[in-house]
Amino acid sequence: MKKAFTLIELLVVIAIIAILAAILFPVFAQAKEAAKKTATLSQYKQVGTGATIYLADSDDTFPLAFAFNTATNAWRWGSYAASPVGWTSSGARNTEPRRSEEQNYVLNAIQPYVKNYQMYKAEGAPTINIGTNANNGINPALMNISFNGMLHSYSATAVASVSRLPLFWPGMMKQNLTGLSLSQPMLDCFNPGEACKFNPSGGPQGGTPAYGYSWFLVGNSSNFSLWLYGKGMPFVSADTSAKFLQFNAPNWPSYSLNINSSPFSSFDPAGPAGSPYWMTDCVAPGGTKGATYYPGYFRPDSEFNYNPITECDHGAG
């Protein structure tokens, strides 16, 4: 007599497999997400190390957060820079003098020390092509990482807390841009013929506004989120230490007095989950509100012991 499974036995086996799959699939997904998170954190730490080696060859002066437009004698503080240089003809980026100008942009300037443009991408993040034209067979890099623009040509020895101050972070949010990036936050340096540098007691160009950070986003608006992996993203400090920063702020108009642990005090209720609404602004440590503001968490003079009531603005009016 031949033996075989009964219908009931088959249904029981199928049910068990379904239960195991329901249990294990989320675990596999979490493991895959954790691997991407770890790989990106490692890559960004290497970028920070490359920048530190650069400092040894530049008299301890950080590289340029923005390219300089020699034709107008002004900083391109609100413009994307190409990486590698010359890969696109958009904006005459494939011709001189713009090629040389963008070569001095931080993520190109430190490339001889990083030695791999692939270090600038976020593993597993969606890729957004904003329609620029490829040129000369140069492959564009995938760009997610941003430089802290407050450190534009700033002295590394003047940083108050190298173990806390962000040096690099995913300023392109939850996406990789094809071949273009910009520093975030950025100094508001629009006056031609003037130097551009973080100034604790005033604007970066004297009487100009203190800062001009802009969260430019191209592509899918659902990528405008701080939740790159889970509910956070990797940060690299000025001493090249790397950590994963969680963001759990409330939706605006509620906000958190969290400036000493997070750049953002509230999320945008109209945006995707984790969409930033307010980057907390602070005066110089020990100062009083009403003076010159900069993004507090990114200020080079920050010791991360702000009084959030008297020294910072959370957009509460």
Side-chain angles (χ1 to χ4, degrees), residues 169-171 173-174 215 223-235 244-249 262-267 272-279:
W169 68 294
M173 304 296 168
K174 196 174 183 177
W215 303 326
N223 298 328
F224 188 53
S225 173
L226 299 169
W227 291 355
L228 178 58
Y229 302 112
K231 291 188 176 182
M233 54 174 52
F235 273 64
F244 191 80
L245 201 62
Q246 296 276 356
F247 296 104
N248 296 303
S262 173
F264 303 96
S265 58
S266 61
F267 288 154
S275 177
Y277 183 88
W278 195 267
M279 181 181 282

Side-chain angles (χ1 to χ4, degrees), residues 167-178:
L167 180 61
F168 293 104
W169 68 294
M172 300 297 97
M173 304 296 168
K174 196 174 183 177
Q175 62 182 2
N176 293 311
L177 293 187
T178 302

Side-chain angles (χ1 to χ4, degrees), residues 142-167:
L142 297 182
M143 308 296 289
N144 171 263
I145 199 169
S146 281
F147 180 61
N148 176 0
M150 302 294 104
L151 295 174
H152 171 78
S153 71
Y154 196 72
S155 171
T157 57
V159 173
S161 180
V162 294
S163 64
R164 297 287 303 277
L165 182 72
L167 180 61

Side-chain angles (χ1 to χ4, degrees), residues 246-305:
Q246 296 276 356
F247 296 104
N248 296 303
N251 284 336
W252 180 257
S254 298
Y255 61 92
S256 295
L257 299 176
N258 59 351
I259 180 58
N260 294 313
S261 60
S262 173
F264 303 96
S265 58
S266 61
F267 288 154
D268 186 351
S275 177
Y277 183 88
W278 195 267
M279 181 181 282
T280 306
D281 311 314
C282 300
V283 298
T288 57
K289 292 169 69 172
T292 301
Y293 286 95
Y294 286 92
Y297 200 81
F298 292 90
R299 290 185 63 126
D301 58 352
S302 173
E303 295 183 352
F304 299 88
N305 58 358

